[in-house]
Amino acid sequence: MASAIHTAIIPLLLYFAQICWCNQPSSTIKINYREKEKQVLDQILGPSSYDARIRPSGVNQTDGPAVVRVNIFVRSISKIDDVTMEYSVQLTFREQWLDERLKFNDFGGKIKYLTLTEANRVWMPDLFFSNEKEGHFHNIIMPNVYIRIFPYGSVLYSIRISLTLSCPMNLKLYPLDRQVCSLRMASYGWTTDDLVFLWKEGDPVQVVKNLHLPRFTLEKFLTDYCNSKTNTGEYSCLKVDLLFKREFSYYLIQICIPCCMLVIVSWVSFWLDQSAVPARVSLGVTTLLTMATQTSGINASLPPVSYTKAIDVWTGVCLTFVFGALLEFALVNYASRSDMHRDQMQKQRRQCELEHAASLEAAADLLQDGGTNFPMSDDVLFQKPLVRSGDQTLEKMRQCKVHMQQPHRPNCCRSWLSKFPTRSKRIDVISRITFPLVFALFNLTYWSTYLFRDESDGE
């Protein structure tokens, strides 16, 4: 009897409990919206309702091309390589498009968006980077990628990637140049009849603040379109041009100033004595070899190109000045030997003059003695020795005149150079003034030409 009563009471209690639960206010009922997200995903991505192989419709459900808007965030630029002409960049890449098939109920704004981590669940644009050399995704700790689906059917795809991109460079103005490196994105298979890429309106490219590059400065960046036509159709393309300016201070310290110092050191030989042959030769050869090594090191860090770079002009002229200082000593050494030969000739000329003066004195004495002891009218035979003596004197005078040089008209430069007795000394003095003046004139011309040269001239 008791068990029968107990069996009858339990259903009655359950009935009253259900009535009480249904009469509770709706504010006290807790709904698990994460479970609702699962239900929504299963509903909109089910095999019967969605096919990822079919592209979305065009604007307003038309049959036009699907429009994909792109924006990127440049996180870092690790290197810009002049030899291989490439640069490495890490960026966050985002695409956004509308797919009407993915609309869902947001439960009064409770579900702002759905998040996916598998890109193959939905249709994706077949975008690729046309100037890419290498690239990889980031998978630490989890793959850095997500897909957000909004209630009105908009899809946002975001991924973090690292790329090594080609950057053809014009090095005519190196190291005073500016380089434009592009980032090109295009559709691989869908033509413009099916897929169109557009830059997102309002700041489509962002760059991280305080971007530091070792030898460059990012001056500005420009976005543009680069649609390409092939024999298979026209493909949509986007590009962003990054304008880099090379930091010249590094090259000023590492290249220009050392080259100037080597050129100036080569001028020290002009102030050394012309007889210090070992010192002047060792100084000239050392500076020449050092300058050649410096030039080789500079060229090793650059790709071999068919045109002349600004740095080639600088190092070539500096090497020419150092080589000219070495040739100047060879000229001084030759002039020194010529001066020694001239001194010997002057000694011979002075000796001839002394002998000539002595002969004249002897002839005068002989004439004087002959006038007193042997009259001219009495005997002519006594005059023959005098005639022979006069002929010998004239012959010696002719020999001396051969070695004598005709004097030139005096002028300011010649009068100033006359202060230096030898030609070798004059060459050194002229070199002390000429070499610095010519090098200063070259610097004035070089820097005024390349610093104020129009950038379009280097293209």
Side-chain angles (χ1 to χ4, degrees), residues 8 30 34 46 56 93 104 113 127 140 167 170 181 197-198 218 228 230-231 239 304 306-307 358 397 419-420 444:
K30 294 183 179 179
R34 303 289 78 78
F93 175 76
F104 63 89
Y113 53 81
L127 181 141
I140 299 176
C167 178
N170 190 332
C181 295
F197 290 110
L198 296 177
L218 179 61
S228 60
T230 66
N231 56 4
K239 75 171 182 175
S306 59
Y307 48 82
M397 290 176 65
K419 298 179 181 179
F420 307 99
L444 180 63

Side-chain angles (χ1 to χ4, degrees), residues 33-45:
Y33 288 103
R34 303 289 78 78
E35 184 67 24
K36 294 295 182 181
E37 288 183 5
K38 177 182 179 302
Q39 296 176 5
V40 171
L41 286 174
D42 293 338
Q43 179 184 356
I44 63 177
L45 297 178

Side-chain angles (χ1 to χ4, degrees), residues 269 274 276-277 280-281 324-334:
S269 63
Q274 59 189 11
V277 176
R280 298 188 68 163
V281 170
L326 185 60
L327 290 183
E328 187 270 349
F329 170 67
L331 181 61
V332 167
N333 188 268
Y334 173 78

Side-chain angles (χ1 to χ4, degrees), residues 178-378:
R178 288 178 170 85
Q179 301 298 336
V180 178
C181 295
S182 299
L183 175 63
R184 294 174 177 267
M185 300 161 285
S187 173
Y188 188 80
W190 298 99
T191 63
T192 53
D193 296 331
D194 297 311
L195 179 62
V196 173
F197 290 110
L198 296 177
W199 284 112
K200 184 179 179 180
E201 297 179 357
D203 200 15
V205 177
Q206 302 98 34
V207 180
V208 66
K209 294 182 179 179
N210 302 323
L211 178 65
H212 295 289
L213 298 174
R215 290 181 296 174
F216 287 88
T217 299
L218 179 61
E219 286 192 331
K220 60 181 179 180
F221 51 87
L222 302 173
T223 57
D224 200 358
Y225 297 92
C226 54
N227 292 5
S228 60
K229 292 183 179 181
T230 66
N231 56 4
T232 59
E234 182 180 0
Y235 298 90
S236 182
C237 175
L238 303 177
K239 75 171 182 175
V240 53
D241 292 331
L242 305 173
L243 179 60
F244 296 103
K245 179 184 178 183
R246 197 181 299 271
E247 288 290 344
F248 179 66
S249 58
Y250 168 80
Y251 301 92
L252 179 66
I253 297 173
Q254 296 294 326
I255 296 176
C256 296
I257 293 179
C259 289
C260 283
M261 295 174 64
L262 287 173
V263 172
I264 295 173
V265 167
S266 67
W267 298 343
V268 175
S269 63
F270 303 155
W271 300 86
L272 297 178
D273 188 74
Q274 59 189 11
S275 60
V277 176
R280 298 188 68 163
V281 170
S282 60
L283 181 63
V285 172
T286 302
T287 53
L288 182 63
L289 293 177
T290 307
M291 189 67 214
T293 305
Q294 180 86 351
T295 304
S296 300
I298 295 170
N299 292 330
S301 62
L302 293 174
V305 293
S306 59
Y307 48 82
T308 302
K309 304 180 290 293
I311 195 66
D312 295 334
V313 177
W314 174 260
T315 55
V317 172
C318 291
L319 186 62
T320 303
F321 271 92
V322 174
F323 182 68
L326 185 60
L327 290 183
E328 187 270 349
F329 170 67
L331 181 61
V332 167
N333 188 268
Y334 173 78
S336 177
R337 295 196 306 269
S338 179
D339 291 336
M340 294 176 61
H341 179 70
R342 188 183 62 177
D343 291 341
Q344 292 178 359
M345 298 303 296
Q346 287 180 352
K347 290 180 180 179
Q348 292 180 2
R349 186 184 63 183
R350 286 194 294 269
Q351 186 176 0
C352 290
E353 291 176 354
L354 292 175
E355 292 178 356
H356 173 62
S359 300
L360 291 178
E361 290 179 0
D365 294 340
L366 185 58
L367 289 174
Q368 186 177 3
D369 294 338
T372 54
N373 299 325
F374 307 99
M376 296 291 292
S377 59
D378 293 341

Side-chain angles (χ1 to χ4, degrees), residues 32-240:
N32 187 355
Y33 288 103
R34 303 289 78 78
E35 184 67 24
K36 294 295 182 181
E37 288 183 5
K38 177 182 179 302
Q39 296 176 5
V40 171
L41 286 174
D42 293 338
Q43 179 184 356
I44 63 177
L45 297 178
S48 60
S49 59
Y50 187 84
D51 191 346
R53 298 173 297 177
I54 308 302
R55 73 168 178 87
S57 301
V59 180
N60 298 325
Q61 291 292 328
T62 62
D63 197 28
V67 178
V68 178
R69 299 192 177 273
V70 177
N71 75 304
I72 59 176
F73 174 66
V74 179
R75 293 181 172 272
S76 65
I77 300 175
S78 58
K79 70 172 183 176
I80 301 176
D81 198 336
D82 298 319
V83 178
T84 57
M85 291 192 179
E86 63 185 20
Y87 71 104
S88 299
V89 60
Q90 182 186 127
L91 51 87
T92 299
F93 175 76
R94 305 185 186 99
E95 294 176 308
Q96 194 165 7
W97 65 94
L98 183 63
D99 195 340
E100 299 284 349
R101 298 171 295 176
L102 298 177
K103 288 184 178 180
F104 63 89
N105 181 16
D106 61 350
F107 295 93
K110 295 298 182 179
I111 300 178
K112 295 182 179 180
Y113 53 81
L114 303 173
T115 302
L116 296 177
T117 56
E118 298 176 358
N120 57 357
R121 297 289 301 275
V122 297
W123 176 87
M124 293 290 299
D126 60 344
L127 181 141
F128 77 105
F129 297 93
S130 58
N131 60 333
E132 173 205 354
K133 287 187 174 182
E134 294 179 359
H136 66 272
F137 301 111
H138 293 266
N139 297 320
I140 299 176
I141 299 177
M142 292 293 292
N144 298 164
V145 59
Y146 67 80
I147 298 174
R148 291 178 180 175
I149 304 175
F150 294 89
Y152 51 91
S154 178
V155 181
L156 173 63
Y157 174 73
S158 177
I159 187 171
R160 186 166 72 100
I161 53 179
S162 293
L163 300 170
T164 299
L165 305 165
S166 64
C167 178
M169 300 182 183
N170 190 332
L171 301 174
K172 287 184 178 180
L173 301 181
Y174 178 92
L176 301 169
D177 57 331
R178 288 178 170 85
Q179 301 298 336
V180 178
C181 295
S182 299
L183 175 63
R184 294 174 177 267
M185 300 161 285
S187 173
Y188 188 80
W190 298 99
T191 63
T192 53
D193 296 331
D194 297 311
L195 179 62
V196 173
F197 290 110
L198 296 177
W199 284 112
K200 184 179 179 180
E201 297 179 357
D203 200 15
V205 177
Q206 302 98 34
V207 180
V208 66
K209 294 182 179 179
N210 302 323
L211 178 65
H212 295 289
L213 298 174
R215 290 181 296 174
F216 287 88
T217 299
L218 179 61
E219 286 192 331
K220 60 181 179 180
F221 51 87
L222 302 173
T223 57
D224 200 358
Y225 297 92
C226 54
N227 292 5
S228 60
K229 292 183 179 181
T230 66
N231 56 4
T232 59
E234 182 180 0
Y235 298 90
S236 182
C237 175
L238 303 177
K239 75 171 182 175
V240 53

